[in-house]
Amino acid sequence: MPDQELDVRPLRKPDKHPAIFGTYEKLAVGESLVLVNNHDPKHLHDEFDRDYPGGYSWDYEQQEPKEWKVRIGKLAETALPRVTCDTTSTKALSEPDVTGAVWSLSAAQRDLDSAIVTVPAGTTQDTHRGPDHDLLVHVLRGVGRIITELGEVELAPGALAWLPRRSQQAFAAEPGEDLTYLVVGKRHEGLTLNISSH
């Protein structure tokens, strides 16, 4: 079967990457598409590295000022299993974002969300209701508790806690050490975790 050529130059900028990934997903293993663009698609290459590392090929065929051609081959049916983070190394974790997450699953094509969240020592999140689906929380480091509607659940490294959908909760870290945990659930819009002092 001849390679499919996809010329994204006429498309609006927001439509280009979805069209490319949509076409790529429909390829069979061993097939490829030839992407035609008006510039070097470096950012697209970064996205392929994020979502399909080791599972695709990328070969420049033409590099003209207004016409770049890249052959993108599909080497595996799906994204390949891989290690995304070493939770035993604090160097693998970044500074917390506005939600308190120091790591999150970044692949665009996924069915679940996952993040590593740090609650600073001696602080408590604002009380909030969880999402409309269950979450699993695995404590990696630190000691703390989940404050529920009717009491508290003690947390220590190794604890695996279930948060039923829409449950009321707040995470609190004991003084002296940050509370760091992995949370996994169905993919959804990000849940903002507001941190406040005790």
Side-chain angles (χ1 to χ4, degrees):
M1 179 177 175
D3 293 325
Q4 181 175 349
E5 187 170 282
L6 177 62
D7 188 345
V8 296
R9 291 174 296 181
L11 299 180
R12 295 180 324 123
K13 188 172 182 178
D15 299 332
K16 289 184 178 185
H17 287 202
I20 295 163
F21 282 107
T23 302
Y24 176 82
E25 283 291 323
K26 292 176 185 171
L27 294 175
V29 173
E31 292 182 344
S32 60
L33 67 91
V34 175
L35 170 66
V36 182
N37 202 3
N38 56 9
H39 64 275
D40 184 358
K42 294 181 289 189
H43 297 300
L44 177 71
H45 192 211
D46 292 342
E47 289 183 41
F48 268 91
D49 271 347
R50 177 196 69 197
D51 290 355
Y52 304 99
Y56 75 101
S57 61
W58 181 278
D59 298 297
Y60 287 98
E61 295 195 337
Q62 183 174 316
Q63 299 178 32
E64 301 295 331
K66 300 277 186 184
E67 186 170 280
W68 290 69
K69 289 188 177 183
V70 181
R71 181 181 304 279
I72 305 170
K74 192 168 187 178
L75 305 179
E77 184 66 30
T78 66
L80 299 173
R82 61 194 180 272
V83 173
T84 60
C85 179
D86 178 0
T87 63
T88 65
S89 169
T90 55
K91 291 180 180 178
L93 307 179
S94 62
E95 288 297 312
D97 64 16
V98 295
T99 69
V102 293
W103 171 88
S104 60
L105 193 59
S106 61
Q109 302 297 321
R110 65 183 195 276
D111 293 328
L112 59 82
D113 274 333
S114 183
I116 295 175
V117 178
T118 293
V119 181
T123 67
T124 302
Q125 297 171 348
D126 289 341
T127 300
H128 60 276
R129 290 224 173 258
D132 286 328
H133 55 82
D134 297 355
L135 297 174
L136 274 179
V137 169
H138 182 237
V139 178
L140 304 173
R141 286 186 284 282
V143 175
R145 60 199 187 284
I146 305 171
I147 302 168
T148 76
E149 287 180 274
L150 298 178
E152 297 183 352
V153 178
E154 298 298 320
L155 297 175
L160 184 61
W162 172 51
L163 305 181
R165 66 186 182 94
R166 303 282 302 141
S167 58
Q168 183 173 299
Q169 60 205 242
F171 282 78
E174 295 301 323
E177 185 180 6
D178 296 345
L179 175 66
T180 301
Y181 60 87
L182 171 72
V183 60
V184 180
K186 181 180 174 183
R187 189 173 184 184
H188 67 291
E189 292 302 314
L191 173 65
T192 301
L193 302 176
N194 298 313
I195 308 300
S196 62
S197 297
H198 271 297

